[in-house]
Amino acid sequence: MILPIYLYGNPVLRKKSVDIDKDYPNLDELIDNMFETMYKADGIGLAAPQIGKNINLITIDANVLAKDEPELEGFKRVFINPKITFNTEETIAIEEGCLSVPGINESVNRINNLTIEYLDSDFNKVTENLKGYPAIIIQHEYDHLNGIMFVDKISPIKKRFIKTKLNNITKGKVATSYKVKN
Ligand code: NI
């Protein structure tokens, strides 16, 4: 089932999410719906707050970018209750976008080496070391779980340029090819 994606300005995107356990109702269906919603919107990552649920759950499938970025080959994951530890202060930046902030793309500094501990969709404990693109993508999604949006991290000057666009998104005055909720 395709779910509406909550837009910038909705308070659900600003709340801190909570951990879940195996008993969370209809979790497998929710995960399936998140992948379906993400694919329909041509996204590569989706965090649960973006579909209106403040729980620590992220879906990622970046295989579509693997042609240009080989390190993303096979980067399809479900992250439940993730915890990130940064292994360096070195940063990298690429232009990011977000299904909750349609029509805006800006570069954001991200840490280039991290360790993430999480539960997969079978609640197996996994520890992964990520660098480069996978590290950038997971940081963007992980921020959503803490109520942080990528546009919070751009320079004040750039932010001034997109202020009108952000106000319009908040009011729902934005065209998207996917179902949204403001
Ligand atoms: Ni996003």
Side-chain angles (χ1 to χ4, degrees):
M1 189 173 71
I2 308 275
L3 307 166
I5 293 175
Y6 285 59
L7 291 178
Y8 181 91
N10 190 296
V12 77
L13 292 169
R14 293 308 192 176
K15 279 185 204 147
K16 208 171 152 45
S17 289
V18 296
D19 281 352
I20 54 171
D21 58 31
K22 272 182 191 160
D23 299 327
Y24 190 84
N26 306 323
L27 183 59
D28 288 342
E29 195 187 334
L30 176 64
I31 290 168
D32 285 349
N33 290 344
M34 282 177 67
F35 274 110
E36 197 183 342
T37 300
M38 186 177 93
Y39 292 138
K40 173 78 179 167
D42 290 325
I44 56 167
L46 195 65
Q50 295 183 273
I51 46 100
K53 294 194 185 299
N54 286 115
I55 55 172
N56 287 326
L57 171 63
I58 291 165
T59 54
I60 286 176
D61 187 350
N63 270 298
V64 70
L65 301 179
K67 224 186 315 149
D68 299 318
E69 304 298 335
E71 61 195 325
L72 291 174
E73 184 78 51
F75 193 53
K76 179 181 178 183
R77 302 275 193 284
V78 174
F79 296 92
I80 296 169
N81 304 342
K83 301 279 175 294
I84 284 179
T85 319
F86 294 117
N87 301 323
T88 179
E89 287 176 11
E90 187 199 329
T91 60
I92 42 168
I94 57 151
E95 226 175 54
E96 298 183 21
C98 179
L99 295 175
S100 295
V101 196
I104 294 177
N105 296 90
E106 296 288 347
S107 287
V108 179
N109 287 324
R110 301 284 186 188
I111 299 289
N112 192 21
N113 188 334
L114 60 83
T115 302
I116 184 163
E117 283 180 59
Y118 62 96
L119 303 169
D120 67 15
S121 55
D122 297 318
F123 279 79
N124 297 312
K125 197 174 170 185
V126 183
T127 304
E128 270 191 280
N129 184 243
L130 298 174
K131 293 174 191 164
Y133 270 77
I136 290 174
I137 295 168
I138 191 59
Q139 281 172 82
H140 176 118
E141 303 308 332
Y142 189 74
D143 274 352
H144 278 299
L145 304 181
N146 290 304
I148 298 164
M149 313 277 289
F150 83 105
V151 287
D152 301 344
K153 299 192 160 183
I154 65 176
S155 71
I157 293 173
K158 277 187 184 167
K159 202 159 182 195
R160 205 181 307 160
F161 275 111
I162 61 167
K163 204 172 177 228
T164 308
K165 273 189 182 176
L166 287 177
N167 285 339
N168 284 338
I169 294 169
T170 300
K171 292 176 199 151
K173 281 199 260 171
V174 64
T176 55
S177 60
Y178 48 91
K179 201 159 52 156
V180 293
K181 189 173 163 66
N182 70 316

